[in-house]
Amino acid sequence: MSLRLKSKTKLNYSGLHHSSTASELEIMEWRSIRKRKDVYQAEETLAEKRIGKRTFYLIKWLGWGSEDATWEPACNILDAAIIQFWECPAPEMRQVSFYVERLLSCFEASLKERLRSVKQLDFPVSIFRFLFNGRGLDKKRGYKSLNKDDFDPQWFPKDWHTGLINKRGTKTMIRFPIVMRSFLSKSPKLFQKQKSGEILERKRRIIQRITVTIVKDTFNSY
């Protein structure tokens, strides 16, 4: 969450236990949440989905883990800034720099490997949207096809897509487009033994990730 939103007066979100649409959408298992004076405070939006003409947002609630996130219509969210931050992300710049470095390390590793590589990284959806929303070509199932010009030079240095020349004079370069997708996955299944001796599955956290598909070209530089 940006500093601008953190500094805002705390606002609450009503009707969670009455009007959550998680079971209706059949996207994630309903997690019952105990009442807190009938109001709840949202922390961030994790995803968006349209059902017919209505838009629903996957909301992570302040003080609750990502495993308790629920799908909510916009009318259940009283602070418009939460939706505004989803539409136009403004994360902290040091966070953006940290994850751009992770992405650059992924590109560098791919240039040293086989001709085609597919990698997964833990990567916040807000930062992915900040870097690439409105850029590239949107494809099916949330995939995005990105050319060199879609990588902002403010964050990606010159020649980031090229590798070093080896002793044989062979140079490697990333072949564009790069195909990326931001998605949500669940943590591995864990089980916990209760005092009664019954073994129950623990709630699974939601993890924000991206997949990066890279194809490289090799050629003789001499």
Side-chain angles (χ1 to χ4, degrees), residues 181-194:
R181 179 170 75 101
S182 176
F183 68 101
L184 302 178
S185 66
K186 289 188 176 181
S187 60
K189 289 185 178 181
L190 295 175
F191 296 88
Q192 185 174 18
K193 188 175 183 179
Q194 307 298 307

Side-chain angles (χ1 to χ4, degrees), residues 13-25 30 38 40 54 56-57 61 70-77:
Y13 302 80
S14 62
L16 173 63
H17 58 291
H18 292 304
S19 57
S20 173
T21 57
S23 57
E24 173 189 335
L25 298 181
W30 166 252
D38 295 332
Y40 302 85
R54 302 183 69 189
F56 297 85
Y57 300 93
W61 304 95
T70 57
W71 288 93
E72 303 297 330
C75 61
N76 280 12
I77 305 171

Side-chain angles (χ1 to χ4, degrees), residues 1-9 85 89-95:
M1 187 68 66
S2 68
L3 293 175
R4 177 174 59 83
L5 292 184
K6 283 184 176 179
S7 63
K8 289 180 67 66
T9 303
F85 185 82
E92 294 180 3
M93 294 300 99
R94 62 180 180 179
Q95 285 186 316

Side-chain angles (χ1 to χ4, degrees), residues 145-183:
S145 180
L146 298 162
N147 287 304
K148 181 182 176 182
D149 293 341
D150 296 319
F151 292 82
D152 191 337
Q154 177 183 351
W155 299 105
F156 296 89
K158 183 179 179 181
D159 297 331
W160 60 268
H161 59 291
T162 62
L164 298 176
I165 301 174
N166 62 22
K167 295 180 180 179
R168 298 180 180 179
T170 301
K171 188 174 184 178
T172 58
M173 296 183 63
I174 291 176
R175 182 195 303 172
F176 291 97
I178 295 174
V179 178
M180 301 175 67
R181 179 170 75 101
S182 176
F183 68 101

